[in-house]
Amino acid sequence: MSSHVLLAGSESQHPKHSVFAGLLTPEEKIQITLILRRNQEISLPESSINCLTASEFRDRHGARQDDLDAVIAFARKHNFRVVRSQPEARSVTLEGALGELSQAFRADVRLSAVASKSYRTRQGQLSVPTELADCIVGVLGFDESPVAATYHRRTEPSLTAKSFTPLEIASLYQFPATTGKGQTIALIELGGGYRDTDLQSYWKQLKLAPVKTESVAIDSAQNSPVGDPDSADGEVVLDIEVAGAVAPEATIAVYFAPNTDAGFLAAINAAIHDNQRKPSVISISWGSAESEWSSATITAFNNAFHDAALLGITVCAAAGDNGSSDGEQDGKNHVDFPASSPWVLACGGTRLYGNNGQILQETVWNDGTNGGATGGGISTHFPKPSYQASLNIQKRGVPDVAGVADPETGFQILVDGQEGVVGGTSAVAPLWAGLIALCNEELGKNIGWFHPTLYGTVTQHKILHDITVGNNGTYHASIGWDCCTGLGTPNGTALLDLLKKS
């Protein structure tokens, strides 16, 4: 009888265009994260989602105690240190020598050079010890190469197009006159950082009181501004300044994590299960094409987003800035993950002209001069969810909604002491997160995962502006939902009114 069982969906490849860069040190200490099965699998239809308390969720859908015990016993037997055990997130992080952990999970790892940097990477499938085969559904951490990119684009103010402050965008989209008081908006960041001096200057420019902002360190990552507005700093500050401006009395909690599969998931789980700050909405502006992820890793992330839905937390994610190819060079269409998760509100992008509080014209964002265009298309991984049943598509369609993303008509931002205009679908995710925080405040409860409501009533109640002009490459805008801007851009007050009735 074999001592190991192949882990379904764990197939991985070394990064494209990477080369062998040397031998790894078997004695090097590394950490891996084991993802465990749920205590009770979920059999309810999507439309039956009910918000659970943290304790109810942990009891029903956290890890099984006997699975946790088995993993801990395995770790002790092999002298691996248990760094972190999170029953609610169904994860256990182990530390041990690279050689020993690689042998335990049959990981084929090497040092790979990608551009000018070297990372530990993995190819092939993983195997789990037979005694753990029933309880482990994912293993993350052997590969430490960057798993996601930011989706923000910075430009200088245009002479031909008008850019906006987040307050002006909120006015154009008729956001409700609430402030997000009592809400926490979680931002997931995989690099860069912010400077308090920039934020204080920015709030002063907008004539706002300072917005409460907290940084949360995950593993080895923390708030570490680079000093370059074109770096990940631009992403971090864009997210804070957009979400904070439209919901100025909310708390902005910024979860900094390493840009690895294990780090990214750890940050998401930290936000979902943060019983101190209790985020009601999570904004993610990092991602990559579905084809860049292993099936098991996508499943682990998707299960976490399902957890968020069960806990009444909305997750917003950028749909990508590289059009219908999502930046892949194989000539095929691709969608971005995590935006493609059926539990995530996928946010596409538009080009917007407005004046005196009125939208004059809004079209699909596709800037041929620099290649920037809203992501969107049909998933190759996820089946068509029930809320998209009426659409003429075969699998999950992306995006769900949209907002202004063209850098030329984008957001006026202050980062690393420099003013500039920033766009990309990275700006749309925190914009929608801010709107959801405003709605949550007014309703006195979390709207959480509201896709069925959004898709079921949008045409009757005119809660979104339908975008019907433009394309993102392969796909063209049309009346109703499309693969460029989804259902459209928000009418915030109409959305709030609809949610009050639902």
Side-chain angles (χ1 to χ4, degrees):
M1 180 177 178
S2 175
S3 64
H4 284 70
V5 176
L6 285 174
L7 179 60
S10 62
E11 179 74 28
S12 181
Q13 299 295 327
H14 297 305
K16 296 174 184 175
H17 312 300
S18 67
V19 295
F20 176 74
L23 298 174
L24 294 164
T25 305
E27 295 77 24
E28 175 192 358
K29 294 292 186 181
I30 71 164
Q31 294 182 1
I32 64 169
T33 298
L34 309 181
I35 309 300
L36 310 182
R37 60 184 170 180
R38 295 182 186 275
N39 183 19
Q40 298 177 21
E41 291 304 321
I42 301 169
S43 58
L44 292 173
E46 294 167 356
S47 58
S48 299
I49 287 290
N50 291 312
C51 185
L52 303 176
T53 66
S55 60
E56 288 172 338
F57 174 85
R58 185 174 57 251
D59 292 342
R60 296 184 195 179
H61 304 302
R64 303 182 186 188
Q65 188 58 52
D66 55 346
D67 288 351
L68 292 168
D69 293 342
V71 169
I72 292 171
F74 168 82
R76 288 173 179 165
K77 177 181 176 181
H78 294 275
N79 295 315
F80 300 141
R81 183 170 73 91
V82 178
V83 176
R84 185 169 55 237
S85 177
Q86 296 176 292
E88 67 281 1
R90 302 181 301 282
S91 71
V92 180
T93 299
L94 303 181
E95 182 180 80
L98 169 62
E100 294 175 353
L101 281 170
S102 297
Q103 169 108 18
F105 293 93
R106 303 295 193 261
D108 180 2
V109 294
R110 78 176 195 190
L111 188 66
S112 296
V114 184
S116 60
K117 295 184 179 181
S118 296
Y119 306 96
R120 184 178 67 247
T121 64
R122 179 179 73 80
Q123 73 172 0
Q125 285 185 288
L126 295 173
S127 294
V128 297
T130 302
E131 66 264 35
L132 301 179
D134 290 337
C135 59
I136 293 179
V137 296
V139 178
L140 285 65
F142 281 113
D143 192 322
E144 60 175 0
S145 60
V147 71
T150 64
Y151 292 127
H152 76 285
R153 291 171 181 258
R154 182 175 176 273
T155 187
E156 298 301 320
S158 170
L159 296 177
T160 59
K162 175 179 169 55
S163 59
F164 305 92
T165 70
L167 297 179
E168 291 172 327
I169 294 292
S171 177
L172 287 168
Y173 286 144
Q174 302 177 59
F175 280 20
T178 47
T179 60
K181 186 175 182 179
Q183 304 297 309
T184 295
I185 300 172
L187 307 176
I188 306 298
E189 306 295 351
L190 305 179
Y194 63 89
R195 301 189 301 186
D196 285 320
T197 52
D198 283 340
L199 298 183
Q200 301 315 310
S201 296
Y202 188 72
W203 307 136
K204 188 174 182 180
Q205 286 179 12
L206 296 184
K207 298 180 180 179
L208 294 172
V211 178
K212 183 178 179 182
T213 304
E214 301 178 5
S215 63
V216 184
I218 306 297
D219 295 334
S220 59
Q222 56 186 339
N223 178 24
S224 302
V226 177
D228 177 2
D230 291 318
S231 71
D233 290 1
E235 180 59 65
V236 175
V237 176
L238 171 69
D239 292 346
I240 295 171
E241 292 180 350
V242 171
V246 301
E249 290 196 68
T251 295
I252 309 299
V254 191
Y255 297 77
F256 289 98
N259 189 358
T260 63
D261 54 5
F264 198 172
L265 182 59
I268 293 166
N269 277 327
I272 291 171
H273 301 289
D274 190 338
N275 290 322
Q276 175 187 343
R277 299 170 188 85
K278 295 181 171 61
S280 61
V281 57
I282 298 172
S283 176
I284 302 173
S285 295
W286 301 70
S288 56
E290 284 182 334
S291 57
E292 298 293 329
W293 303 75
S294 74
S295 176
T297 302
I298 286 183
T299 298
F301 276 67
N302 190 56
N303 286 341
F305 298 134
H306 196 171
D307 294 349
L310 291 166
L311 288 164
I313 301 169
T314 311
V315 181
C316 306
D321 291 359
N322 295 296
S324 55
S325 73
D326 203 34
E328 298 296 281
Q329 303 299 315
D330 59 4
K332 299 178 181 179
N333 296 320
H334 294 269
V335 294
D336 208 74
F337 183 79
S340 65
S341 165
W343 304 106
V344 166
L345 188 71
C347 301
T350 66
R351 180 177 178 87
L352 183 151
Y353 293 95
N355 196 29
N356 296 324
Q358 298 293 319
I359 296 174
L360 304 179
Q361 183 185 43
E362 194 167 16
T363 59
V364 176
W365 169 44
N366 188 343
D367 186 351
T369 60
N370 67 4
T374 182
I378 308 300
S379 171
T380 59
H381 183 88
F382 294 106
K384 180 162 69 171
S386 61
Y387 55 80
Q388 291 186 325
S390 64
L391 304 181
N392 185 26
I393 54 178
Q394 299 303 309
K395 291 192 173 185
R396 158 73 162 142
V398 176
D400 298 302
V401 295
V404 58
D406 190 319
E408 288 196 354
T409 66
F411 294 80
Q412 297 164 13
I413 296 299
L414 174 64
V415 54
D416 290 325
Q418 299 184 41
E419 295 182 347
V421 180
V422 180
T425 56
S426 276
V428 187
L431 180 72
W432 268 91
L435 171 57
I436 289 164
L438 301 182
C439 292
N440 287 343
E441 178 199 0
E442 178 68 18
L443 294 169
K445 63 179 182 180
N446 294 356
I447 63 175
W449 182 74
F450 66 111
H451 290 57
T453 299
L454 196 61
Y455 278 84
T457 56
V458 64
T459 54
Q460 296 94 324
H461 293 271
K462 307 295 183 184
I463 61 172
L464 297 178
H465 306 288
D466 192 9
I467 309 302
T468 59
V469 176
N471 68 81
N472 69 347
T474 297
Y475 302 104
H476 292 257
S478 60
I479 295 174
W481 182 90
D482 55 63
C483 289
C484 300
T485 57
L487 295 166
T489 58
N491 178 328
T493 300
L495 173 62
L496 177 59
D497 290 342
L498 170 65
L499 293 169
K500 286 180 177 178
K501 299 172 184 175
S502 63

